[in-house]
Amino acid sequence: MKLYKCFKWIPAVLLIIMPACSDSFLEVDPAGRLSSDIYPATDEEVLSTIIGVYDLMQWNYGRDWNSAYFAKNLPADDCNAGSSASDQLPYQNLDDFKNEADNPVTTAIWEGFYKAVNQCNTIIERIEPTSDFREQIIAEAKAIRAWNYFELVTLFGDVPFYTVNPTSVADYHKPRAPRADIYSQIETDLEDAISVLPLKSELPENQKFRVSRGTAQAILGKVYLYQERWNDAHTVLGQVISSQEYGLEPDFGDVWKRAGELGTESVFEVLYTSQEGYDWGNFGWGGGAESNIHVQLMGPRAPFFGKLDTIGIIPGWGFNLPTASIGEAFDDMGDQGPRYEATIMSESEFIAAGGEINPDTDDDGNPMPAHDYEGYLRMKYTTFADQTNTSGASIPELNYTTNWRLIRYADVLLMAAEAYNEDDDEASARRELNKVRERAELDTYDSPMSKEDLREAIKAERQLELAFEGSRYWDLVRWGDAEEVLSPLGFVAGKHEHFPIPQTEISSNNEISQEDQNPGF
């Protein structure tokens, strides 16, 4: 159950949000700032400020045509943009390594991350820690600020850095800060949050979406992992594991459905709801909807995929098609069990289940290959009929309630395994890796392995376990494997390790010039 329509309960305080360094914001009365020393006064008002931050994350990761979640997936080798070559060109360009500084998708998600940061800054600045309740709100804001800055430095590299919202014209113009400095503040924020936040089990049932101690620890472990601070990483990730607050869903397929929402495997999750029952006349295009329109966007497209109802799927709009390489990776692993079945389906399996493939034909009647189709349907995060609202006048395509899982327990186990292995604790690395393999019904690694062999095993496991979850590309980059794996797809070493700094930021920020742009853009 969602928190009493929590994503509709956003007070005027949300107007404080704005893109980093936008001069246009300075041209109007900043009425969205907290306008008096009284607000927020009551605990209800204080709670509304943090609910507003969760709403911003829902918006940034699910905004139609500008989703941070989808953008993180597109450059990887497990998915193609899909649909048609001319449909949603900003997404197609991300997929094809044709992204430039004026791409509206990367511009929009930059804006979205900074809006969340700025709202968190306001909470941290303005709310006095006069009670345990308020201390928890501040701790949540610190953890969420840390996450959004981590996303920014991962995707863009060095970025402008604000821990206090600007109060003068000059304050809006900041240079790119070194990632090391931002990492330091991220770590401080997370350590502060960990000392205050409750365990997930201590949160009320209708508030399990809120950041818990385990969430902050998992984020911190990931931050350490990306810096190759192996001992620090497995120490804090080990605390998440030993807390016994989390576990693996017995049925891998449930992780992506209502049955697994905020469940045992959920460490950090962005919520969506179908309670509004949208139709074509009242859907909030432009990012104002509370359902997850990207599930519809990423469902298999009819009539190319015919008789989808035979596998319980409603036709979608054809984006995020699996690549042949992810199918081959499952084959190479010998993984054809529950994890495979809940992730992808081959064309032959689809036809055997009663489906049809209906390709377009050219003027001579010859079949034409579909754009980006390489022989697989995606089953993870797809358009299952039982995962949307079909009541009354609701349009099923517009009402998917599917939540994005930003961090789940399987990722924690695999991150811990990687850190243990790199820190020369082979036995602990195999132990955590084997937990993931057991759920996938694969043979476990029961004999000692060399560091190199275990490293490759962990990489392979992450590729399959986390397919289509926005991890693959950034794993390849941090491992130094992106050039070898992705250069046939257009990846250029020294350029594509990061997205470009948006041109709007360079144009509006006096402390950043074109010479400060990421290399190659």
Side-chain angles (χ1 to χ4, degrees):
M1 175 180 177
K2 312 299 182 188
L3 176 61
Y4 33 85
K5 293 193 176 183
C6 65
F7 294 119
K8 287 186 73 67
W9 182 30
I10 310 302
V13 69
L14 279 185
L15 295 177
I16 192 169
I17 56 178
M18 63 282 187
C21 306
S22 174
D23 284 335
S24 62
F25 181 80
L26 301 175
E27 297 170 2
V28 297
D29 178 27
R33 291 186 187 166
L34 298 179
S35 57
S36 81
D37 292 334
I38 299 173
Y39 190 90
T42 68
D43 282 352
E44 183 179 31
E45 290 170 343
V46 169
L47 179 61
S48 73
T49 63
I50 197 67
I51 297 300
V53 179
Y54 290 108
D55 185 75
L56 284 170
M57 292 189 63
Q58 178 200 67
W59 170 74
N60 193 31
Y61 285 88
R63 186 165 28 157
D64 39 302
W65 326 130
N66 293 298
S67 162
Y69 180 85
F70 195 24
K72 289 171 64 178
N73 277 277
L74 281 167
D77 62 336
D78 55 1
C79 74
N80 289 322
S83 189
S84 67
S86 60
D87 193 3
Q88 297 302 321
L89 278 174
Y91 278 156
Q92 302 290 343
N93 289 338
L94 272 171
D95 181 51
D96 296 334
F97 292 101
K98 296 178 181 178
N99 186 31
E100 296 297 341
D102 60 354
N103 188 309
V105 175
T106 49
T107 299
I109 66 176
W110 169 281
E111 173 191 39
F113 290 130
Y114 273 109
K115 284 186 173 184
V117 164
N118 290 344
Q119 179 72 353
C120 289
N121 286 346
T122 299
I123 292 170
I124 296 164
E125 289 175 47
R126 295 299 302 271
I127 294 176
E128 294 293 333
T130 55
S131 66
D132 291 346
F133 171 81
R134 293 180 179 225
E135 286 184 355
Q136 179 184 344
I137 300 295
I138 296 167
E140 281 179 88
K142 288 183 176 182
I144 297 172
R145 179 172 71 180
W147 171 260
N148 281 274
Y149 268 129
F150 177 63
E151 291 277 67
L152 279 164
V153 297
T154 300
L155 273 58
F156 295 96
D158 299 347
V159 297
F161 185 46
Y162 306 80
T163 56
V164 176
N165 286 338
T167 57
S168 69
V169 172
D171 292 340
Y172 283 90
H173 302 276
K174 284 200 171 188
R176 299 177 67 181
R179 274 178 294 173
D181 293 348
I182 301 175
Y183 274 135
S184 179
Q185 183 61 51
I186 288 171
E187 292 159 19
T188 297
D189 278 349
L190 291 169
E191 289 163 357
D192 289 349
I194 289 165
S195 69
V196 172
L197 289 171
L199 298 170
K200 180 181 176 182
S201 61
E202 296 171 339
L203 291 167
E205 280 303 311
N206 66 343
Q207 297 184 32
K208 296 294 187 186
F209 69 91
R210 293 176 64 182
V211 169
S212 68
R213 187 184 311 163
T215 310
Q217 289 170 322
I219 297 171
L220 183 57
K222 191 166 190 174
V223 169
Y224 287 145
L225 192 80
Y226 272 55
Q227 297 176 82
E228 299 186 355
R229 292 170 57 179
W230 309 121
N231 181 268
D232 291 333
H234 68 67
T235 297
V236 70
L237 293 166
Q239 291 167 0
V240 180
I241 295 166
S242 64
S243 73
Q244 299 185 331
E245 289 282 302
Y246 306 95
L248 296 173
E249 287 283 354
D251 185 340
F252 187 85
D254 284 348
V255 176
W256 323 107
K257 299 178 181 177
R258 230 175 254 136
E261 285 184 357
L262 305 176
T264 186
E265 194 158 342
S266 174
V267 179
F268 194 20
E269 191 165 325
V270 174
L271 271 61
Y272 297 88
T273 175
S274 62
Q275 63 195 9
E276 295 302 312
Y278 294 115
D279 58 37
W280 294 112
N282 65 7
F283 183 79
W285 298 106
E290 296 175 3
S291 59
N292 192 340
I293 191 62
H294 268 74
V295 172
Q296 173 64 19
L297 186 85
M298 301 190 312
R301 192 168 197 149
F304 181 82
F305 295 104
K307 296 186 177 180
L308 284 162
D309 59 315
T310 62
I311 57 173
I313 288 177
I314 298 172
W317 297 337
F319 287 83
N320 198 358
L321 287 172
T323 60
S325 66
I326 189 63
E328 292 165 2
F330 273 100
D331 288 342
D332 291 344
M333 181 74 79
D335 185 346
Q336 300 298 305
R339 180 168 65 184
Y340 167 82
E341 292 171 352
T343 304
I344 57 175
M345 176 181 284
S346 71
E347 179 177 303
S348 61
E349 290 165 338
F350 176 54
I351 293 172
E356 295 178 346
I357 300 293
N358 302 306
D360 289 336
T361 56
D362 60 22
D363 292 341
D364 297 323
N366 299 312
M368 295 174 60
H371 176 64
D372 277 348
Y373 174 64
E374 298 181 3
Y376 291 89
L377 293 79
R378 181 178 35 76
M379 303 300 288
K380 182 186 288 188
Y381 285 138
T382 197
T383 44
F384 287 110
D386 61 359
Q387 300 300 303
T388 186
N389 186 346
T390 58
S391 62
S394 301
I395 302 297
E397 290 92 334
L398 302 179
N399 287 283
Y400 286 99
T401 184
T402 309
N403 299 341
W404 296 137
R405 281 65 165 172
L406 298 185
I407 301 179
R408 56 190 179 89
Y409 188 57
D411 190 9
V412 170
L413 294 173
L414 292 175
M415 288 192 292
E418 181 178 347
Y420 279 125
N421 184 54
E422 298 301 333
D423 202 31
D424 299 316
D425 187 347
E426 185 268 350
S428 295
R430 274 192 300 112
R431 180 189 65 224
E432 306 308 339
L433 175 60
N434 282 338
K435 292 175 185 177
V436 177
R437 290 180 63 81
E438 285 172 356
R439 199 258 301 268
E441 298 183 4
L442 296 174
D443 292 339
T444 56
Y445 296 111
D446 296 329
S447 300
M449 303 169 68
S450 70
K451 188 173 188 175
E452 292 73 19
D453 287 346
L454 188 48
R455 179 185 297 128
E456 293 306 311
I458 293 167
K459 288 180 179 181
E461 208 69 40
R462 286 188 67 83
Q463 180 183 13
L464 302 189
E465 179 71 24
L466 303 175
F468 317 121
E469 295 182 50
S471 291
R472 173 65 175 169
Y473 182 72
W474 312 101
D475 279 345
L476 290 171
V477 168
R478 70 184 178 84
W479 291 331
D481 294 343
E483 182 176 16
E484 178 182 355
V485 174
L486 299 174
S487 59
L489 304 178
F491 178 91
V492 175
K495 175 180 180 179
H496 289 125
E497 289 83 357
H498 295 110
F499 292 154
I501 301 299
Q503 191 60 46
T504 53
E505 181 71 18
I506 294 174
S507 298
S508 63
N509 186 340
N510 294 342
E511 293 296 322
I512 300 179
S513 67
Q514 189 59 46
E515 288 70 31
D516 299 315
Q517 178 60 276
N518 283 330
F521 293 101

